[in-house]
Amino acid sequence: MKNIRNFCIIAHIDHGKSTLADRLLEHTSTIGSRDMKAQVLDDMDLEREKGITIKSHAIQINFPYKGEEYILNLIDTPGHVDFSYEVSRALAACEGALLLVDATQGIQAQTISNLYLAIENDLEIIPVINKIDMDGAMIPEVKDQIIELIGCKEEDILLASGKSGIGIDEILDAIINRIPAPSGDEKAPLQALIFDSVFNSFRGIIVYYRIFSGSIKKGDKVKFFSTDQEYYADEVGILKFGMEPKNSVHCGDVGYIITGIKNAKEVKVGDTLTNVINPTKSRIDGFEDVKPMVFAGIFPVETDAFEELRDCMEKLQLNDASLTFELETSQALGFGFRCGFLGLLHMEIIQERLEREFNQTVITTVPNVSFEATTVKGEKIIVNNPTEMPDPTRIEVILEPFIRAQIITKPEYIGNIMNLCIGKRGMLTNQSYLSPTRIELSFEMPLTEIVIDFYDKLKSQTRGYASFDYHPIDMRPSDIVKMDILLNGEKVDALSALIHRSRAQHFGSKLCEKLKELLPKQQFQIAIQAAIGAKVISRENISAMRKDVTAKCYGGDISRKRKLLEKQKEGKKRMKQIGNVEVPQEAFLAVLKLDD
């Protein structure tokens, strides 16, 4: 055990985690030159296309050092704020972390956020400045920022380049000498933390775990702590470039187990795995349950595909434990799911994965957050979507979630950021200079305001120089109203939104204009209205497609023309009563792309 090191790589998005992981794997000959490619651990097509890591990936490296053989378990983690749950799970399985900072960018918001996560888990932090061979590298400034942030000595900071392989020996040296070996008793009862799981259509559910005490052998009878289910270990092993079966996996190691489980509900990430014959008395305090930030409805385009979608969602949840969902019905869209996501990028990725990996075409409703309504009788109601909103006459007070937003940027963009955040009902709480060219701004803002397009706007206002991170703080009273969209007087519940009263007028008129462009013309006039309760706040009309019925009249009496027009008018009126308006999928997505 003294020769095992478990570590992960943490950093802000795009600071070169996956590239550095490539060099470590190449340098230690873990992956042969034939299998080597850029971002080798990112095995999803989506990760390669977008250039981001979505899933944490574990891999074991064997490394001879000073005449001894060391086993290094590396977990490469995502950098985007929407996948911070993946990072927290990886940290729970490690004793140390490489904190990567881009030499051209310096410390950014997610660097600080991930660092705090690592400190909470009592990990040994090894600071590394990456991309030192680039033209814009500011090594002395970035060193000062790291020393100020962590309080380490200058000689503790390693310099490296993931692309050209500079400093890889020093990093491996630091991993072995500075990260502690795992502690634990090989002879104690088995106690292993489940930190990930994947679904394999041939072999069932494959569970990834880190053993904290005891060991696990092929053929052992194991038990999951939270579900009390018992299984036989058909296969156990370690994670190399692929899965490598072993007869046993020992204390301190990271490995996998296949037990032939087919039901997704029986495996819970964060659960403890133990032996049936000699079980452990206590479970491992893993990480707390995920708290979704953004809610949206996901519905199948064909109502018959609902059961199939449910299976796909359960398999996807295995692979992404931060996805939560429950049943929901909608008048316009039928049966579907109310899903909780960690952010908009997370929502977009889930939608893409459903379409690519499971061939599911889905409709996503307007994303919103959870509110808490207190009725006149004192009942508390959690409102996750507009249909759950109680009647306004019954509501005493509505609380909405607030977050603390942390924005790090260059001083010249302060004005733009202030305008953006104050326009989104934010309050500036703190402003501090990290260095002469970097400033940190803290705002308290309603989560509702950052859900849809805040991140994109922040990037465009600051030419991409701002980094953003947020944490929930509390619930505060607010004037939230339910805004309905009516098409010819019929409510379309999938387009309803919960919004602050001061923003409702503007948002309603924008949405009506957008729907006017997107809805196809019918034989009758369509009235698009945005309403709060019985009060209509905005209206647009789509004029009818008309046939020129008077074309056959040439000359003659005007009353003949009038009679034909009256007859047409009556027909249009009748058609309007029985005609229904088809809402295309683009209309549901249009809400996400409304510009202020």
Side-chain angles (χ1 to χ4, degrees):
M1 250 174 74
K2 67 179 187 353
N3 286 8
I4 296 176
R5 300 288 181 273
N6 296 315
F7 71 101
C8 59
I9 306 177
I10 54 174
H12 189 82
I13 190 168
D14 245 3
H15 280 206
K17 294 177 294 301
S18 300
T19 311
L20 183 72
D22 289 354
R23 293 296 80 75
L24 289 170
L25 298 175
E26 196 174 49
H27 192 80
T28 54
S29 307
T30 304
I31 291 179
S33 52
R34 286 176 65 181
D35 293 323
M36 200 64 210
K37 55 186 178 186
Q39 281 91 38
V40 69
L41 292 179
D42 292 350
D43 49 12
M44 234 185 278
D45 290 343
L46 262 177
E47 292 180 310
R48 298 192 156 277
E49 279 169 33
K50 292 183 181 285
I52 58 174
T53 303
I54 294 166
K55 284 284 302 166
S56 293
H57 297 272
I59 189 165
Q60 191 173 97
I61 298 170
N62 292 73
F63 182 57
Y65 180 77
K66 293 187 178 171
E68 290 192 51
E69 188 75 25
Y70 282 85
I71 293 172
L72 313 179
N73 289 311
L74 153 70
I75 303 180
D76 178 28
T77 65
H80 196 282
V81 60
D82 282 11
F83 305 111
S84 56
Y85 191 63
E86 287 283 329
V87 181
S88 72
R89 284 158 42 192
L91 293 170
C94 294
E95 277 85 28
L98 297 181
L99 179 74
L100 227 58
V101 182
D102 187 331
T104 61
Q105 300 277 348
I107 283 174
Q108 292 188 282
Q110 203 56 31
T111 315
I112 298 172
S113 178
N114 287 340
L115 171 70
Y116 288 155
L117 278 175
I119 290 170
E120 275 170 35
N121 281 287
D122 283 342
L123 300 197
E124 177 65 36
I125 311 287
I126 300 176
V128 180
I129 298 178
N130 194 22
K131 306 189 187 180
I132 55 165
D133 53 350
M134 284 183 75
D135 295 342
M138 316 172 287
I139 296 167
E141 291 95 318
V142 177
K143 270 188 178 174
D144 292 344
Q145 288 174 22
I146 293 175
I147 291 166
E148 200 171 320
L149 181 67
I150 307 178
C152 61
K153 299 188 186 77
E154 189 174 334
E155 56 268 25
D156 292 345
I157 300 171
L158 305 178
L159 302 179
S161 165
K163 204 156 214 166
S164 52
I166 302 167
I168 298 298
D169 284 317
E170 289 80 358
I171 290 175
L172 287 164
D173 200 63
I175 289 166
I176 288 168
N177 293 317
R178 281 156 66 175
I179 292 176
S183 58
D185 185 356
E186 178 89 32
K187 295 182 174 61
L190 172 67
Q191 193 184 40
L193 174 74
I194 297 172
F195 68 89
D196 206 355
S197 55
V198 292
F199 183 81
N200 181 307
S201 44
F202 301 108
R203 314 198 64 182
I205 292 160
I206 302 167
V207 175
Y208 297 156
Y209 54 83
R210 150 77 203 275
I211 301 181
F212 282 89
S213 67
S215 63
I216 188 168
K217 294 184 187 66
K218 185 178 177 178
D220 277 358
K221 197 171 188 186
V222 294
K223 178 173 94 166
F224 291 101
F225 228 85
S226 65
T227 56
D228 251 354
Q229 298 278 358
E230 298 177 2
Y231 300 96
Y232 284 100
D234 299 338
E235 182 178 311
V236 296
I238 53 169
L239 299 157
K240 288 282 198 174
F241 185 47
M243 293 186 297
E244 197 171 286
K246 296 273 181 195
N247 285 328
S248 61
V249 181
H250 300 280
C251 182
D253 248 334
V254 172
Y256 73 91
I257 179 171
I258 297 173
T259 56
I261 308 171
K262 291 285 190 283
N263 185 355
K265 290 193 176 71
E266 290 171 26
V267 177
K268 191 166 182 275
V269 168
D271 195 4
T272 303
L273 187 68
T274 188
N275 209 311
V276 172
I277 297 163
N278 183 10
T280 177
K281 302 284 182 287
S282 60
R283 60 182 302 154
I284 301 166
D285 291 328
F287 23 86
E288 70 284 349
D289 277 344
V290 62
K291 294 183 191 71
M293 292 285 181
V294 176
F295 295 88
I298 286 187
F299 294 87
V301 174
E302 301 291 329
T303 42
D304 318 350
F306 169 71
E307 282 301 328
E308 199 183 327
L309 180 63
R310 187 209 295 264
D311 286 348
C312 299
M313 296 287 278
E314 283 177 0
K315 285 172 189 168
L316 197 53
Q317 193 179 32
L318 270 180
N319 203 254
D320 183 350
S322 50
L323 168 69
T324 57
F325 63 88
E326 58 190 40
L327 213 63
E328 182 184 44
T329 51
S330 152
Q331 293 161 0
L333 302 168
F335 287 106
F337 297 98
R338 184 93 202 136
C339 303
F341 307 98
L342 295 184
L344 275 194
L345 178 69
H346 186 212
M347 174 176 142
E348 192 184 312
I349 295 291
I350 292 291
Q351 203 177 335
E352 287 253 357
R353 286 184 71 182
L354 278 172
E355 286 180 10
R356 287 179 184 212
E357 294 172 29
F358 302 103
N359 292 328
Q360 293 290 315
T361 326
V362 293
I363 292 174
T364 315
T365 62
V366 187
N368 62 286
V369 303
S370 249
F371 298 96
E372 193 180 286
T374 307
T375 62
V376 185
K377 290 180 181 171
E379 294 171 69
K380 285 196 171 156
I381 300 170
I382 301 291
V383 181
N384 281 334
N385 65 349
T387 50
E388 292 171 9
M389 185 81 152
D391 190 82
T393 53
R394 287 176 51 215
I395 297 173
E396 180 79 31
V397 65
I398 291 186
L399 304 177
E400 71 170 325
F402 267 68
I403 53 139
R404 178 167 293 115
Q406 177 191 38
I407 297 169
I408 297 178
T409 185
K410 293 188 168 185
E412 57 259 40
Y413 300 117
I414 293 177
N416 293 359
I417 291 174
M418 292 280 202
N419 284 342
L420 175 66
C421 294
I422 290 164
K424 298 269 187 190
R425 300 191 285 133
M427 290 177 297
L428 181 68
T429 55
N430 191 17
Q431 177 176 335
S432 59
Y433 278 85
L434 300 172
S435 74
T437 55
R438 300 177 74 70
I439 185 166
E440 180 183 354
L441 302 167
S442 292
F443 288 90
E444 288 186 358
M445 300 172 71
L447 181 59
T448 335
E449 299 289 345
I450 69 156
V451 158
I452 293 185
D453 57 357
F454 178 79
Y455 194 62
D456 299 342
K457 288 216 167 104
L458 180 69
K459 285 289 183 199
S460 60
Q461 298 273 7
T462 58
R463 297 186 189 160
Y465 277 108
S467 62
F468 170 67
D469 187 30
Y470 63 86
H471 303 280
I473 39 178
D474 54 10
M475 305 285 278
R476 300 182 187 177
S478 191
D479 189 5
I480 299 292
V481 292
K482 179 185 173 191
M483 188 186 78
D484 292 308
I485 295 292
L486 310 165
L487 295 179
N488 281 346
E490 290 280 320
K491 282 185 188 172
V492 182
D493 61 350
L495 288 172
S496 300
L498 295 170
I499 192 163
H500 194 265
R501 197 181 292 274
S502 63
R503 302 284 302 276
Q505 169 83 51
H506 177 72
F507 186 74
S509 61
K510 280 273 176 204
L511 191 49
C512 288
E513 281 169 29
K514 194 81 181 173
L515 288 172
K516 185 178 179 180
E517 290 170 29
L518 291 168
L519 292 179
K521 278 192 169 189
Q522 304 284 349
Q523 297 274 343
F524 50 90
Q525 186 188 29
I526 305 171
I528 305 166
Q529 294 167 306
I532 297 172
K535 184 184 173 192
V536 174
I537 53 172
S538 177
R539 173 177 175 137
E540 293 284 339
N541 288 334
I542 299 179
S543 52
M545 286 195 291
R546 297 183 62 123
K547 184 179 170 189
D548 187 2
V549 288
T550 59
K552 60 186 177 196
C553 301
Y554 43 92
D557 189 3
I558 184 71
S559 59
R560 174 83 182 117
K561 285 186 179 175
R562 193 160 289 145
K563 188 178 170 188
L564 286 169
L565 288 168
E566 285 297 324
K567 191 177 172 189
Q568 186 188 33
K569 196 170 163 188
E570 284 300 314
K572 296 270 181 221
K573 205 183 220 171
R574 262 206 319 279
M575 203 185 281
K576 188 173 181 174
Q577 284 164 358
I578 58 161
N580 62 343
V581 184
E582 284 288 313
V583 183
Q585 164 127 23
E586 295 82 65
F588 297 110
L589 300 177
V591 188
L592 310 183
K593 299 183 172 62
L594 286 183
D595 290 326
D596 281 352

